[in-house]
Amino acid sequence: MTAPDPTHPYPSPPAPDGVHYRACNLCEAICGLKITVQGGRVTDVRGDPDDPLSRGHICPKGTALPDLHADPDRLKTPLRRVGESWEPMEWEAALDYVAAQLRAVREQHGADAVATFQGNPSVHNSGTLLSAGAFLKALGSRSRYTATSIDQLPHHFAGAEMFGHPLMLPIPDVDRTDFFLMMGANPLASNGSIMTAPGIRDRLKAIRARGGRVVLLDPRRTESAEYATDFHHIRPGTDALFLLALLNEVFASGLQRTAHLGGVMTGLDALKAAA
Ligand code: SF4
């Protein structure tokens, strides 16, 4: 591993040779990794079989981490575009430059003229995780874009409406349930994203092995269908109707249990009528 870059304000110390146990932060499955460093270089990355959560699982993104780390095009210092080329800058100068430009754009065009985009690389970085909220609030821009929009925003919305905060996300208890209903989810491709369930293939197999059912609804027969006991095509755009039909069945069969929700529940009759 090369010496720390002195232009970086927080240089990482070089990792000594040997085996290092770390967690992959590329997605919230947070797989445990066993990383071998030899001669200052990462020579091997594999899933840590002793990690109690991921149990040795690793996906191609995790195994590619050394490529990311050693990529010759990896930015190690701020670059400023000058015409058709790029010039390196010192961090202090870069931060001052960005601050001045942000202010100028905001003064000239308003707060919404500054757009932001967030995805896993920033959301799973402890530095930006701590600072992004205050920074975005200070920017005051409504032009906020994120991979969340096409991923789990409905989940956040439901969490905010039902539990009071978009990060209060119910997580299915994959390892204990005997009936796992998935609608439009494809955990074999997402690696159990949002459920924080690395190695989802084995977890779905385990539901079946203990006699449970894995029911999947999707307009497309996805990779996950191979691991379901029941797969049903559903017409795109009709998920809400399916759920209402499910509720109707609950009401019709008298299966609803609402006594403990008396103080916090409203609109049951309207829901029943709609269903
Ligand atoms: S599933 Fe892949 S990207 Fe996500 S934490 Fe595990 S190795 Fe990393």
Side-chain angles (χ1 to χ4, degrees):
M1 200 164 283
T2 53
D5 185 340
T7 60
H8 195 289
Y10 312 111
S12 312
D17 283 6
V19 175
H20 302 272
Y21 293 90
R22 296 288 186 271
C24 174
N25 68 343
L26 292 180
C27 84
E28 85 280 358
I30 49 173
C31 295
L33 302 180
K34 191 175 170 188
I35 302 172
T36 305
V37 176
Q38 285 176 327
R41 288 185 59 248
V42 176
T43 54
D44 188 67
V45 177
R46 57 189 65 213
D48 174 10
D50 296 325
D51 185 284
L53 180 68
S54 59
R55 307 166 191 164
H57 177 73
I58 189 170
C59 84
K61 289 192 290 182
T63 50
L65 277 170
D67 301 335
L68 197 66
H69 184 71
D71 192 318
D73 290 333
R74 179 179 162 196
L75 286 183
K76 293 179 178 170
T77 188
L79 296 178
R80 178 181 177 181
R81 188 165 67 186
V82 181
E84 293 300 311
S85 62
W86 297 86
E87 285 181 358
M89 297 179 82
E90 297 289 335
W91 277 95
E92 285 298 321
L95 289 168
D96 287 347
Y97 179 73
V98 169
Q101 294 300 313
L102 279 178
R103 171 174 287 190
V105 169
R106 282 162 52 85
E107 285 176 357
Q108 196 175 346
H109 302 288
D112 291 341
V114 178
T116 56
F117 185 91
Q118 283 195 286
N120 274 6
S122 64
V123 172
H124 294 168
N125 175 293
S126 51
T128 50
L129 192 64
L130 285 172
S131 60
F135 178 65
L136 294 174
K137 199 170 178 186
L139 276 181
S141 170
R142 298 181 69 233
S143 310
R144 289 168 61 172
Y145 304 93
T146 162
T148 298
S149 314
I150 52 168
D151 190 354
Q152 80 274 9
L153 210 48
H155 205 165
H156 286 304
F157 183 76
E161 291 290 310
M162 288 189 69
F163 306 115
H165 194 282
L167 287 179
M168 295 186 78
L169 301 172
I171 304 293
D173 195 352
V174 190
D175 294 334
R176 292 174 189 81
T177 188
D178 290 324
F179 187 96
F180 192 40
L181 170 64
M182 298 187 285
M183 295 182 62
N186 187 7
L188 262 292
S190 68
N191 289 318
S193 187
I194 291 292
M195 291 189 284
T196 312
I200 189 70
R201 185 191 318 255
D202 290 339
R203 291 170 197 264
L204 294 182
K205 279 185 186 169
I207 295 175
R208 298 180 62 157
R210 58 179 178 264
R213 283 174 69 191
V214 178
V215 181
L216 173 62
L217 275 71
D218 202 299
R220 184 172 74 90
R221 191 177 179 89
T222 63
E223 301 88 330
S224 299
E226 299 304 314
Y227 296 87
T229 49
D230 308 66
F231 170 75
H232 302 285
H233 291 286
I234 188 168
R235 192 184 297 274
T238 62
D239 289 9
L241 297 179
F242 169 80
L243 289 170
L244 278 171
L246 213 57
L247 277 174
N248 188 46
E249 183 61 26
V250 167
F251 290 130
S253 307
L255 294 171
Q256 70 271 26
R257 281 177 291 165
T258 55
H260 61 298
L261 297 172
V264 293
M265 185 180 63
T266 57
L268 184 65
D269 288 340
L271 179 64
K272 199 185 284 189

